[in-house]
Amino acid sequence: MKNTISGSITSCSFVGKEDNRPVIVPQEEVIVSPSGVNVGDYTTNVAFQLARRVGLAPQKVAETICKNVIDLPDSIEKVEFAKTGHINFTISARSLQDQIAIILEQGSEYSRQEVGAGKKIHLEFVSANPTGPLNVVSARAAAIGDALARLLGRIGYEVTKEYYVNDHGRQVRLLGESLLARLKQARGEKAEMPEGGYQGEYLSEMAAEIAAAAGEDSPQALSAAAVKKFISLHRESLDGYGVSFDNWFYESKLHADGLPQQAMDELTEKGHTYQKDGAVWFKSTDFGDAQDWVFRRSDAEGSLTYHPIDVAYHRHKYQRGYDRMIDLWGPDHHAHVAVTKAGVAALGYQLDKLDIIIVQQVNLIRGGQKVKMSKRAGEFETMDDLVREVGRDAARYFFLMRSMDAPMDFDLDLAVAKSEKNPVYYVQYAHTRVCSILREAKEREDGFYLRDNAAPDLRLLVEAAELALIRKLNYYPQTVRSSAENLEPHRLPVYLAELATVFHKFYAVCRVLDSENIELSRARLALARATKTILADGLGLLGVSAPERM
RNA sequence: GCCCCCUUGGCUCAGCGGAUAGAGCGCCUGGCUACGGACCAGGAGAUCGGAGGUUCGAAUCCUCCAGGGGGUACCA
């Protein structure tokens, strides 16, 4: 609908001053939604842009444009200019009413758009190390990544969700050594944790089980068994959270194919590395980074650090032919964004295809106090703990409510509260209410559904509350699109909360089931069902359930 | 030191260069003989961290400053 109006504006012309030279309105993004004042459904600022070019006041320009608008689509009831210079468009009631039939017919396809045109997006998220349970930041990233994947899919992208598994290298070896130490300690033998080893209590708890699976007590066998175990635990946690991945990519595969070494050699050949202190450094400062990084250690084997491996991994993504790659990383990887991009650029790949986004920290708040999460055993909250405590719906909704680039306070008390204070219930309750009405309609003798086969007369929906509700429904596709395109899934919960509000207002004012007025009841039932469709679809995109009863 | 993120009512946050900056919580008033009161109506409460700049127009873009957070390993 937005496009239709845009089309009508771009095709109208403005006659300039003395020379009568027609000035065509620029075909830029000129339509914006009105904010604040209730002036119409769409507004445009073209008059401001043209004012200077033609040497007239914006209001005069707006007035002239309004008077010369031609080919106004039927969907627009009126075009007005404001004294500020804005030109406002109001969608006709008729066109709004028709939206209901469209929503009911299209269902979740109502928000389907083809702006992605089948382009392939690679979305990597969570990618936690298989050395411990998933934490709350992983839970945040999982909620966001999963919602983004659905949103991008909805607007026509082909999305691949990938989980990168660090199953190779130093931290894996360390994990095996830590386990061995724990095992020995459990047997009463004297054993020291290796330097920088994994202290977490979960390791002691799992040591015996892992040892049994490993079959032998070598660090190698133990770490392999532990990695396997943690990967399956991660998978379980994510399953319980409703998040699945299309692909689990193992770092060991990169090594098996010799890709990190190859990337390293190539960077050296191209002159992007240098020797210092016995190590090989990559000149990432040449590509805008704040510092250079060691890529090959000075140890006896000349082993590679994490960075060239990650560069190789990203090159592998490029080679797989994605049009765009999006990584969601935790705040602890902050400094690595620049070096990874630098490495990719040094190998000659286009950086504009790659977005590395940092999902910021999560502070758990209980009783108004920050929950302390030290690295010491048992003192950090895992993703499973969180989900167990607040439930999957509240966890996902809370994470998705907030913009991902700001650290967030997660109020545990609010998330568990089964009350009006809890934002996720507010939205779900709207859905439940519709379901309740629909149940009632079925049970009643009035035959709201079965009176006849004719479609309900949507022209009966003329109340302000009814039209306001349809207006909000009509706005849904744009919300989906902007959430997806801007990689800002939090816009959707904001919208859903607004939709719930408009519905609750409608509910307060407009009785849906009225035996005295069957035709109106049927029309309002259609509106209620359309609302249910959008609420359920929106919640579904967020991975949050839309309950029939609460 | 350097890099990144954040700063909007008492609190937690929306806000897409445009009109009178919006929600929720908390606080104060009201509202169920009806399809679920986990709801609705109304009120108080904001010099959008500060100073410059760009612009017809800035919470939004740019620069500087301040405060908060994170990072700055030959760990990942």
Side-chain angles (χ1 to χ4, degrees), chain A residues 369-523:
Chain A
Q369 297 289 313
K370 206 187 246 197
V371 177
K372 289 216 176 88
M373 288 188 277
S374 91
K375 281 186 276 182
R376 301 275 316 256
E379 287 185 30
F380 69 96
E381 197 113 358
T382 65
M383 171 170 165
D384 289 346
D385 292 337
L386 177 73
V387 174
R388 208 174 298 124
E389 184 166 344
V390 308
R392 168 181 152 177
D393 284 347
R396 292 185 72 145
Y397 194 88
F398 271 58
F399 285 131
L400 290 165
M401 279 195 308
R402 305 286 179 235
S403 161
M404 65 180 118
D405 47 30
M408 76 171 280
D409 287 340
F410 192 111
D411 188 335
L412 291 165
D413 302 318
L414 181 60
V416 281
K418 290 202 178 348
S419 76
E420 76 282 359
K421 294 175 194 170
N422 193 330
V424 65
Y425 287 120
Y426 182 78
V427 176
Q428 289 181 320
Y429 182 58
H431 183 265
T432 304
R433 264 190 156 170
V434 178
C435 292
S436 173
I437 296 171
L438 298 180
R439 275 196 304 272
E440 177 77 11
K442 252 177 213 163
E443 287 163 13
R444 288 234 201 147
E445 299 298 313
D446 304 314
F448 292 112
Y449 281 124
L450 304 170
R451 166 130 321 202
D452 56 46
N453 291 325
D457 182 4
L458 300 172
R459 301 285 172 261
L460 297 172
L461 301 174
V462 293
E463 295 278 338
E466 293 165 334
L467 294 177
L469 178 52
I470 307 172
R471 278 200 170 84
K472 192 55 89 173
L473 294 172
N474 179 47
Y475 199 69
Y476 181 62
Q478 280 168 255
T479 304
V480 168
R481 177 170 173 174
S482 71
S483 301
E485 283 188 322
N486 296 294
L487 307 182
E488 291 184 347
H490 73 272
R491 294 186 189 195
L492 185 51
V494 168
Y495 165 84
L496 290 174
E498 287 168 0
L499 175 59
T501 294
V502 180
F503 172 74
H504 286 311
K505 284 181 183 177
F506 156 78
Y507 181 90
V509 175
C510 297
R511 172 89 195 158
V512 175
L513 303 179
D514 178 1
S515 305
E516 302 300 308
N517 198 338
I518 299 293
E519 284 311 307
L520 180 60
S521 298
R522 295 178 70 238

Side-chain angles (χ1 to χ4, degrees), chain A residues 126 135-138 140-141 328-337 357-363 404-408:
Chain A
V126 185
N135 60 24
V136 290
V137 174
S138 290
R140 186 179 189 184
L328 303 184
W329 286 2
D332 51 336
H333 281 62
H334 205 125
H336 303 159
V337 174
I357 301 170
I358 296 296
V359 175
Q360 293 290 345
Q361 192 185 335
V362 177
N363 298 312
M404 65 180 118
D405 47 30
M408 76 171 280

Side-chain angles (χ1 to χ4, degrees), chain A residues 175-234:
Chain A
L175 178 66
E177 288 164 6
S178 304
L179 271 166
L180 189 56
R182 287 294 190 216
L183 270 180
K184 285 183 174 167
Q185 286 166 2
R187 291 183 201 130
E189 294 170 35
K190 206 174 155 200
E192 298 247 329
M193 279 300 270
E195 198 183 327
Y198 292 88
Q199 305 284 347
E201 193 140 317
Y202 56 86
L203 272 195
S204 318
E205 291 162 8
M206 294 170 61
E209 183 193 341
I210 288 170
E216 56 172 298
D217 281 0
S218 70
Q220 292 77 14
L222 286 171
S223 67
V227 163
K228 211 172 156 191
K229 178 68 185 166
F230 279 120
I231 291 169
S232 80
L233 286 177
H234 290 185

Side-chain angles (χ1 to χ4, degrees), chain A residues 267-402:
Chain A
L267 288 173
T268 302
E269 274 166 34
K270 291 187 172 172
H272 298 306
T273 61
Y274 60 91
Q275 298 262 347
K276 195 179 107 189
D277 304 330
V280 180
W281 295 66
F282 169 57
K283 283 198 272 189
S284 51
T285 45
D286 283 357
F287 298 88
D289 197 356
Q291 61 179 287
D292 290 341
W293 298 79
V294 169
F295 268 35
R296 186 188 294 288
R297 297 187 184 94
S298 58
D299 58 16
E301 316 91 84
S303 60
L304 297 176
T305 60
Y306 163 81
H307 306 296
I309 301 169
D310 219 26
V311 169
Y313 173 46
H314 282 84
R315 162 192 258 180
H316 191 260
K317 290 184 191 176
Y318 274 88
Q319 288 172 340
R320 279 187 268 166
Y322 294 104
D323 297 295
R324 188 174 181 193
M325 289 146 282
I326 303 166
D327 292 2
L328 303 184
W329 286 2
D332 51 336
H333 281 62
H334 205 125
H336 303 159
V337 174
V339 63
T340 303
K341 285 188 169 175
V344 166
L347 289 175
Y349 292 93
Q350 290 179 325
L351 280 184
D352 55 6
K353 287 185 172 183
L354 175 64
D355 283 304
I356 303 179
I357 301 170
I358 296 296
V359 175
Q360 293 290 345
Q361 192 185 335
V362 177
N363 298 312
L364 297 176
I365 308 292
R366 182 182 280 124
Q369 297 289 313
K370 206 187 246 197
V371 177
K372 289 216 176 88
M373 288 188 277
S374 91
K375 281 186 276 182
R376 301 275 316 256
E379 287 185 30
F380 69 96
E381 197 113 358
T382 65
M383 171 170 165
D384 289 346
D385 292 337
L386 177 73
V387 174
R388 208 174 298 124
E389 184 166 344
V390 308
R392 168 181 152 177
D393 284 347
R396 292 185 72 145
Y397 194 88
F398 271 58
F399 285 131
L400 290 165
M401 279 195 308
R402 305 286 179 235

Side-chain angles (χ1 to χ4, degrees), chain A residues 73-117:
Chain A
D74 293 341
S75 58
I76 298 303
E77 192 169 271
K78 59 178 175 182
V79 186
E80 296 168 308
F81 64 95
K83 58 177 180 288
T84 53
H86 296 86
I87 301 172
N88 300 314
F89 301 80
T90 303
I91 300 173
S92 68
R94 191 181 191 83
S95 168
L96 285 173
Q97 291 152 356
D98 290 340
Q99 291 299 310
I100 296 173
I102 295 170
I103 292 169
L104 291 177
E105 185 194 321
Q106 298 186 343
S108 63
E109 291 300 297
Y110 182 63
S111 59
R112 167 81 53 203
Q113 286 153 91
E114 293 307 329
V115 294

